[in-house]
Amino acid sequence: MWRGTRNEATIVERRFTRMLPGMEHLSYEERLDRLGLFSLEQRRLRGDLIEVDRIMRGVGRVDKDQLFPLVEGSVTRGHKFKVRGRRFREDLRKNNFTQRVVMVWNALPGRVVTVRNTLPGRGVRVRNTLP
């Protein structure tokens, strides 16, 4: 497990992909595209969304009602599993797992959120909807 900051991890990944044969003169995005990889931010977001999905389905020992309270009593567009975000005065809490995924989770299409199984097709659907 990487223990450095996200900035340091990105620097290491950029340096490593540049050392691969034939990749020296390509931009970082082009190298990732040719290697079939996503950026570190996209991979982190995908992992976060997979974890939210597991929590919402009740997999694990996390109280989903306390961690991710659902939006109540309003007509919501999209899917019925929209979670309520909290507001904080400090910027410190904005990067917590429970806060950084709220807007992205709520923006997912209903067909992605309501898929009942974890077959490979689900990952493809999530991957195709990420920014």
Side-chain angles (χ1 to χ4, degrees):
M1 183 75 184
W2 177 261
R3 294 206 179 260
T5 65
R6 285 184 289 176
N7 234 1
E8 292 169 344
T10 303
I11 291 169
V12 169
E13 183 177 66
R14 284 175 185 262
R15 187 177 304 145
F16 177 78
T17 57
R18 194 177 305 123
M19 292 186 328
L20 295 172
M23 302 280 182
E24 310 87 22
H25 303 293
L26 298 175
S27 71
Y28 176 61
E29 289 77 20
E30 289 173 330
R31 291 192 303 263
L32 290 178
D33 189 46
R34 287 204 182 167
L35 294 169
L37 298 174
F38 293 103
S39 69
L40 286 172
E41 289 298 318
Q42 287 176 325
R43 292 194 305 257
R44 179 183 186 193
L45 180 60
R46 182 175 181 266
D48 287 348
L49 290 174
I50 290 170
E51 192 60 32
V52 171
D53 180 61
R54 294 182 74 224
I55 291 169
M56 297 303 279
R57 288 188 295 122
V59 178
R61 298 181 182 191
V62 177
D63 182 15
K64 71 177 181 181
D65 297 325
Q66 183 178 6
L67 194 60
F68 293 111
L70 296 177
V71 173
E72 299 173 3
S74 68
V75 177
T76 58
R77 296 182 188 192
H79 54 84
K80 61 182 180 179
F81 298 107
K82 292 201 177 214
V83 295
R84 185 180 52 209
R86 297 188 179 120
R87 295 178 191 245
F88 299 101
R89 291 185 186 137
E90 306 90 27
D91 287 341
L92 203 61
R93 306 283 300 288
K94 290 180 182 178
N95 292 324
N96 284 354
F97 167 71
T98 56
Q99 295 307 306
R100 70 176 180 251
V101 297
V102 168
M103 289 180 62
V104 179
W105 175 261
N106 288 343
L108 286 175
R111 70 180 190 282
V112 174
V113 175
T114 57
V115 173
R116 293 196 179 271
N117 58 25
T118 56
L119 295 174
R122 181 183 197 115
V124 170
R125 286 185 182 172
V126 170
R127 188 177 311 127
N128 291 338
T129 58
L130 290 178

